[in-house]
């Protein structure tokens, strides 16, 4: 018997005004593990992922149609609170975006304060920083401004901030594209550790990275989902020539 998917997407369309950026996408994302979303620039990767926690609709003139279900519950259903949804479905963006007016500690605790979550904040902050493989580097600097951290440390801080509210799903939108190779390797190691506890969807333009970190890969082109399968299949024996042309570098 096949396990029910963590996320089910049915006939998803995303618009910026009259322009349709994502077209009739349908796929199931299993619980736990990593799904990579690849494709050339402007193909709708980031727009698709932002629809999963309703970040897309925050942009002027943007809207989405279709169904996104998390554990069978409609994301776009009546009465759904987007703030509560984004607690369940955390997001980390391309460029590190720590809150510059807050300390390192307060950055991690920000979601706890916003959502008025109970618990020992110091313990939750430490746990989140440990999960993000950052605790040993900042444990004596928690009152400092996060802008004094390196780019890679800032990105792991943003991951810790997302983890502090105990999400079920983590969306990573090109989380290492602004980082150097050493910081990128640390982010990839972190993804390997987190995959046991979270359902992770990562947008990446780096196909080697997709091959290294993901279990399944979705290839997008011109807003359409062209192929979705195990990462091994996509990179070694794709079913569609367009996928093969992209992953072998013939276009992109």
């Amino acid at each position: 018997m096949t396990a029910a998917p963590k996320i089910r997407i049915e006939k998803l369309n995303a618009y910026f005004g009259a322009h349709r950026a994502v077209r009739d996408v349908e796929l199931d994302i299993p619980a736990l593990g990593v799904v990579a979303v690849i494709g050339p620039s402007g193909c709708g990767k980031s727009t698709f992922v932002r629809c999963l926690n309703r970040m897309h609709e925050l942009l002027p003139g943007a809207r989405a149609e279709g169904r996104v279900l998390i554990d069978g519950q409609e994301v776009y259903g009546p009465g759904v609170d987007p703030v509560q949804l984004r607690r369940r479905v955390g997001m980390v963006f391309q460029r590190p975006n720590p809150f510059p007016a807050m300390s390192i500690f307060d950055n991690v605790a920000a979601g706890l304060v916003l959502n008025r979550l109970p618990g020992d904040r110091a313990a939750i902050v430490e746990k989140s920083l440990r999960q993000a493989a950052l605790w040993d580097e900042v444990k004596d600097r928690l009152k400092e401004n996060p802008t004094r951290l390196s780019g890679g440390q800032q990105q792991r801080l943003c991951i810790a901030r997302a983890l502090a509210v105990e999400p079920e799903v983590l969306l990573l939108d090109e989380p290492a594209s602004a980082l150097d190779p050493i910081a990128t390797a640390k982010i990839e190691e972190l993804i390997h550790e987190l995959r046991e506890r979270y359902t992770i969807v990562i947008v990446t333009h780096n196909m080697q990275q997709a091959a290294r970190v993901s279990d399944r890969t979705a290839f997008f082109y011109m807003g359409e989902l062209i192929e979705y399968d195990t990462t091994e299949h996509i990179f070694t024996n794709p079913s569609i020539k367009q996928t093969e042309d992209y992953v072998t570098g013939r276009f992109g």
Side-chain angles (χ1 to χ4, degrees), residues 139-158:
K139 62 185 177 183
D140 299 319
R141 305 171 62 186
L142 295 177
K143 293 182 180 179
E144 286 186 19
N145 191 293
T147 58
R148 298 175 67 178
L149 300 175
S150 70
Q153 288 174 322
Q154 288 185 31
Q155 193 64 303
R156 282 182 283 144
L157 177 65
C158 293

Side-chain angles (χ1 to χ4, degrees), residues 7 29 35 37 46-55 70 85-86 88-94 158-159 162 167-175 198-203:
I7 306 174
I29 295 173
V35 170
V37 181
S46 292
T47 300
F48 163 70
V49 167
R50 285 165 180 257
C51 288
L52 303 185
N53 71 343
R54 293 180 57 172
M55 292 290 287
I70 298 178
L85 170 67
R86 291 175 201 132
R88 294 180 66 198
V89 185
M91 188 157 194
V92 175
F93 298 94
Q94 183 172 359
C158 293
I159 293 173
E168 300 160 37
V169 178
L170 198 56
L171 309 177
L172 306 175
D173 189 359
E174 301 205 24
Y198 302 94
T199 299
I200 299 173
V201 182
I202 177 171
V203 173

Side-chain angles (χ1 to χ4, degrees), residues 141-219:
R141 305 171 62 186
L142 295 177
K143 293 182 180 179
E144 286 186 19
N145 191 293
T147 58
R148 298 175 67 178
L149 300 175
S150 70
Q153 288 174 322
Q154 288 185 31
Q155 193 64 303
R156 282 182 283 144
L157 177 65
C158 293
I159 293 173
R161 186 174 67 197
L163 296 177
V165 296
E166 298 191 343
E168 300 160 37
V169 178
L170 198 56
L171 309 177
L172 306 175
D173 189 359
E174 301 205 24
S177 65
L179 305 180
D180 62 54
I182 292 172
T184 295
K186 287 192 173 183
I187 295 293
E188 291 183 10
E189 288 171 18
L190 180 55
I191 292 169
H192 276 290
E193 292 170 13
L194 296 175
R195 71 196 308 153
E196 304 296 326
R197 297 190 293 275
Y198 302 94
T199 299
I200 299 173
V201 182
I202 177 171
V203 173
T204 179
H205 67 277
N206 183 326
M207 285 181 287
Q208 290 80 17
Q209 182 175 75
R212 286 192 297 265
V213 304
S214 68
D215 307 293
R216 299 180 67 82
T217 295
F219 168 53

